[in-house]
Amino acid sequence: MKNLKRQWKFIVVLIAGAVGLISQFALHSKSLFSIGNLQFPVHAIIIDIIGILMAISLLLEIFHDWKTGRYGVDILAVIAVVSTILIGDVWAEWMILVMMTGGETLEDYATGQANKELRALLDKTPRIANKLVDGKITEVKVDDLQVGDTVLIKPGQQVPVDGQIVKGTSSFDQSSLTGESVPVTKNPGDELMSGSVNGDVAVEMKVTKAAKDSEYQSIVALVKASQAQPAKFVKMADRYAIPFTVISLIIGGVAWAVSGDATRFAEVMVVASPCPLLIAAPVALVSGMSSMSAHHIIVKSGPTLEKLARAKTFAFDKTGTLTENQLIVDQVVTDDKSFDQKELQSLAASVEQQSSHVIASSLVKATDKDLIHPVTNLKETTAQGVEGDVDGKHVKVGKLSFVAPGHEKLNVTSTAVYVSVDGKFAGYITLKDKMRPESPKTIERLRRQGAEDIMMLTGDHKQVAEKVAKEAGITDVRSELLPSQKIQAIKDVPKHLRPVVITGDGVNDAPSLTAADVGIAMGAKGATAASESADAVIMVNDISKVNDAVAISKHTMKVANIDVLTAIGVVIIIELIAFTGVIPAFWGAILQEVVDMITISLGLLAKTKPSDKQFGLEEK
């Protein structure tokens, strides 16, 4: 509605100008009345009425801003309009109105161009699904799908909601969700993410999540949030509002005093219109947010860019952030000479193959498929372990108290599963976190990007945490922390080391993401509490995107600052030229429109690629 109102203002001003031209030149309008030396022909009355209405509208906005403690530069625009009305320069007045409303319209256009990557997500949102009912296809709205429904996904179609393949095998393009450049083959039993695109073969899928909870819709919700949140940084121009207004009024006042002509004051006020100053920051900011989106990073609000650009402290969760959501086998220790390491791992993995526990699945994944044998008489004891028969042997895998009572004095500090065979303790298998391959490089690059302190905050055991931190290149390690202690660690960061940025992925990270100056969620796996609490969400499974976020933020803020200062400098220079009287008010207004275009063009430079130094690719 706001954008529509701004466009209508521009249209009304253009119509008023067209009617005025026809009245003055085609109909040879005469003055309806005069006041002193001022003549008021039809075209002047039309444009003056529009000018007065626009000035009143702007004054109401200024008054509202003042009530909220915001002091902007719009007052100069009002002074410019009133000045041209008082000196009777109708067409200069009209050009100011064109400049004011046209600048707003140009800003909307530039914002739309800079925001096209974000809108592309909204435009591609799946809306219709092919529901299978008794073997027949029925088109239904995606929002009407229920968990348990069966959906047919034809070749080239988007997956409408999250689900699981029940029939068919095909490749799926997940690039818009995960950043993977190569399509992924999916078989019956595999999960599908909404928003991925089917390849050449039709498949049937069972719905596992409603539309509002599915992957693609969660991204769309984040995008909408990023568009709806007003950017605090647009007020950057207002930091210069008072001095800029004072300087402009002084230049105009001195010009009037020296020349003795009020027209000179009006000419200065015309070129002092604040449109370029007001446009500079928001265009750059939206361009930066668009660039983030193109790099698979959703930023929810403008202040996030400001804080990321100035961040001095970075904190990371361990599991699922610095490491992958997967464990790898570290050691296989046997206690019975009857079994070697290979056989012990084979027996343990065979019993664990049907368990969904992360340790069990990691063990199975780390074991050669040829070593995993069928298991019978499988039994699971909740929170203790599993047991079953493999190759004629009864195998138990799990906690030590469950597997081999009496061996509790065995001191193993790593994550481990214990194994007994036919009632006799056979050994144990330790597992460790699998470091993300990009984690050490990410930490190194953050230091090059200006990070003064990097710490790891985790609830895991001290020995495990320190081992991961050493591998990642982090020296400040805080382990065995509860969520409340993570928050306290963030609050304890001294003022000179702020802003603080924390990156995490789990539900337990949500409170600390909210407490930090900037919370970044690893949201590649869907809408978690972390994603909802974060200021920015990385939509691909790549922690190096933190480097990209910092680089884009630094680049955006650099462009925004240069743009604002350039706008101020150019406007003041033009004011000084107008001071001499060589720029009539009409041409001063046209010149201001040119400055608007330059400002918008500079703001769009925020979409260009940041430098290698900003990316942390150059040695300091």
Side-chain angles (χ1 to χ4, degrees):
M1 287 299 294
K2 181 181 178 182
N3 290 347
L4 187 63
K5 180 181 177 183
R6 283 151 67 118
Q7 291 171 5
W8 269 111
K9 283 183 180 180
F10 182 56
I11 292 171
V12 168
V13 169
L14 290 180
I15 292 174
V19 173
L21 284 171
I22 294 172
S23 173
Q24 181 176 4
F25 298 107
L27 303 179
H28 305 288
S29 64
K30 297 180 179 180
S31 297
L32 295 181
F33 61 90
S34 62
I35 299 177
N37 295 326
L38 296 180
Q39 303 296 314
F40 289 91
V42 174
H43 71 277
I45 294 174
I46 292 172
I47 294 174
D48 283 349
I49 289 173
I50 298 298
I52 292 170
L53 291 175
M54 293 291 181
I56 292 173
S57 174
L58 202 53
L59 280 172
L60 291 175
E61 292 179 13
I62 292 171
F63 180 67
H64 178 267
D65 288 341
W66 285 355
K67 287 197 301 182
T68 58
R70 177 181 172 183
Y71 301 94
V73 290
D74 289 337
I75 189 66
L76 287 175
V78 175
I79 293 174
V81 171
V82 174
S83 299
T84 52
I85 291 175
L86 292 177
I87 65 173
D89 197 332
V90 175
W91 292 111
E93 175 193 350
W94 180 75
M95 279 305 303
I96 294 173
L97 296 175
V98 170
M99 177 183 60
M100 288 169 52
T101 57
E104 292 174 341
T105 303
L106 285 171
E107 178 187 344
D108 292 340
Y109 174 76
T111 297
Q113 290 298 303
N115 214 22
K116 63 183 179 181
E117 285 92 351
L118 297 179
R119 294 201 319 272
L121 278 174
L122 300 177
D123 295 339
K124 294 178 181 178
T125 304
R127 293 180 174 84
I128 300 295
N130 298 315
K131 182 179 176 181
L132 287 173
V133 181
D134 298 327
K136 295 182 179 180
I137 298 176
T138 303
E139 284 194 353
V140 298
K141 292 181 179 179
V142 170
D143 291 339
D144 293 335
L145 289 175
Q146 303 291 324
V147 174
D149 287 346
T150 301
V151 175
L152 177 69
I153 305 169
K154 298 177 181 179
Q157 285 188 335
Q158 273 189 315
V159 178
V161 294
D162 290 359
Q164 186 179 57
I165 293 180
V166 294
K167 184 178 180 181
T169 297
S170 186
S171 60
F172 286 81
D173 181 356
Q174 301 180 154
S175 58
S176 64
L177 301 167
T178 65
E180 295 170 292
S181 57
V182 180
V184 179
T185 300
K186 298 286 187 176
N187 301 299
D190 289 341
E191 294 182 354
L192 293 178
M193 292 185 290
S194 61
S196 56
V197 181
N198 190 12
D200 301 326
V201 181
V203 300
E204 293 181 15
M205 180 192 80
K206 180 181 179 182
V207 176
T208 57
K209 289 183 180 179
K212 62 183 179 64
D213 301 318
S214 292
E215 180 76 20
Y216 198 83
Q217 282 75 11
S218 70
I219 299 175
V220 169
L222 290 169
V223 171
K224 287 181 177 177
S226 72
Q227 291 178 314
Q229 293 272 357
K232 182 180 178 181
F233 187 71
V234 252
K235 296 184 179 180
M236 188 184 79
D238 292 343
R239 299 172 192 166
Y240 304 97
I242 294 178
F244 179 71
T245 302
V246 170
I247 290 172
S248 298
L249 290 173
I250 289 173
I251 293 174
V254 173
W256 186 355
V258 170
S259 67
D261 185 358
T263 302
R264 192 68 57 84
F265 176 79
E267 290 171 350
V268 173
M269 288 301 99
V270 167
V271 297
S273 176
C275 287
L277 195 62
L278 297 175
I279 290 173
V283 172
L285 198 64
V286 175
S287 295
M289 294 173 72
S290 172
S291 183
M292 287 280 200
S293 178
H295 283 76
H296 300 284
I297 307 163
I298 301 297
V299 176
K300 297 182 181 180
S301 65
T304 299
L305 293 175
E306 277 191 276
K307 294 171 186 176
L308 271 172
R310 297 185 291 107
K312 295 181 179 179
T313 298
F314 289 82
F316 292 88
D317 175 48
K318 179 181 71 68
T319 306
T321 305
L322 291 170
T323 66
E324 297 182 358
N325 281 310
Q326 179 186 340
L327 300 171
I328 57 175
V329 172
D330 185 22
Q331 291 180 305
V332 180
V333 181
T334 61
D335 194 57
D336 189 333
K337 293 181 180 179
S338 302
F339 303 100
D340 59 21
Q341 293 177 335
K342 187 175 181 180
E343 187 175 6
L344 184 68
Q345 184 173 339
S346 171
L347 292 170
S350 297
V351 174
E352 293 274 35
Q353 62 184 297
Q354 295 183 29
S355 174
S356 60
H357 192 278
V358 62
I359 293 178
S361 59
S362 298
L363 175 59
V364 172
K365 191 171 184 178
T367 305
D368 192 315
K369 291 183 179 179
D370 294 336
L371 296 178
I372 299 178
H373 305 298
V375 59
T376 58
N377 301 320
L378 187 65
K379 179 183 177 183
E380 181 173 357
T381 302
T382 304
Q384 295 296 319
V386 295
E387 57 184 301
D389 297 329
V390 180
D391 294 338
K393 302 179 180 69
H394 187 71
V395 182
K396 295 177 91 174
V397 182
K399 291 184 176 180
L400 187 58
S401 58
F402 169 72
V403 167
H407 287 72
E408 283 81 359
K409 292 183 179 180
L410 186 63
N411 184 23
V412 179
T413 57
S414 303
T415 301
V417 291
Y418 300 88
V419 186
S420 69
V421 179
D422 293 331
K424 185 178 180 181
F425 180 63
Y428 59 90
I429 300 171
T430 63
L431 299 99
K432 64 178 182 179
D433 289 289
K434 183 179 181 181
M435 178 70 67
R436 290 181 182 272
E438 71 273 15
S439 289
K441 191 68 175 179
T442 297
I443 302 304
E444 179 186 347
R445 285 175 59 192
L446 280 175
R447 291 195 172 96
R448 293 179 186 172
Q449 288 175 302
E452 296 184 23
D453 185 29
I454 300 177
M455 56 185 175
M456 185 172 78
L457 306 177
T458 179
D460 211 339
H461 298 296
K462 182 178 180 181
Q463 295 92 333
V464 176
E466 289 180 345
K467 193 172 183 179
V468 170
K470 184 177 180 181
E471 190 176 347
I474 298 175
T475 56
D476 188 353
V477 186
R478 320 284 179 89
S479 57
E480 301 179 14
L481 299 179
L482 297 172
S484 60
Q485 292 172 315
K486 286 186 179 182
I487 293 174
Q488 191 59 49
I490 293 168
K491 289 181 178 179
D492 289 342
V493 174
K495 188 175 181 179
H496 71 278
L497 289 177
R498 290 184 175 274
V500 180
V501 179
I502 184 168
T503 305
D505 81 318
V507 173
N508 66 319
D509 296 320
S512 52
L513 291 178
T514 304
D517 296 302
V518 177
I520 301 177
M522 298 292 292
K525 292 199 173 183
T528 64
S531 297
E532 293 167 4
S533 304
D535 301 294
V537 182
I538 296 173
M539 303 310 303
V540 292
N541 202 27
D542 183 357
I543 197 176
S544 70
K545 289 296 178 181
V546 174
N547 297 128
D548 293 351
V550 173
I552 294 169
S553 297
K554 287 181 179 293
H555 180 60
T556 299
M557 301 314 296
K558 181 179 179 180
V559 169
N561 278 285
I562 290 174
D563 202 5
V564 168
L565 293 175
T566 299
I568 291 174
V570 170
V571 169
I572 289 177
I573 289 172
I574 297 175
E575 287 178 22
L576 292 173
I577 296 173
F579 176 93
T580 65
V582 300
I583 305 178
F586 177 80
W587 290 105
I590 292 178
L591 191 58
Q592 263 288 328
E593 202 66 22
V594 173
V595 177
D596 282 353
M597 294 297 296
I598 294 172
T599 302
I600 290 172
S601 298
L602 284 174
L604 289 173
L605 289 177
K607 291 186 68 176
T608 59
K609 183 181 178 182
S611 66
D612 286 347
K613 183 177 181 180
Q614 288 169 325
F615 269 120
L617 298 174
E618 286 184 355
E619 295 283 355
K620 280 192 174 181

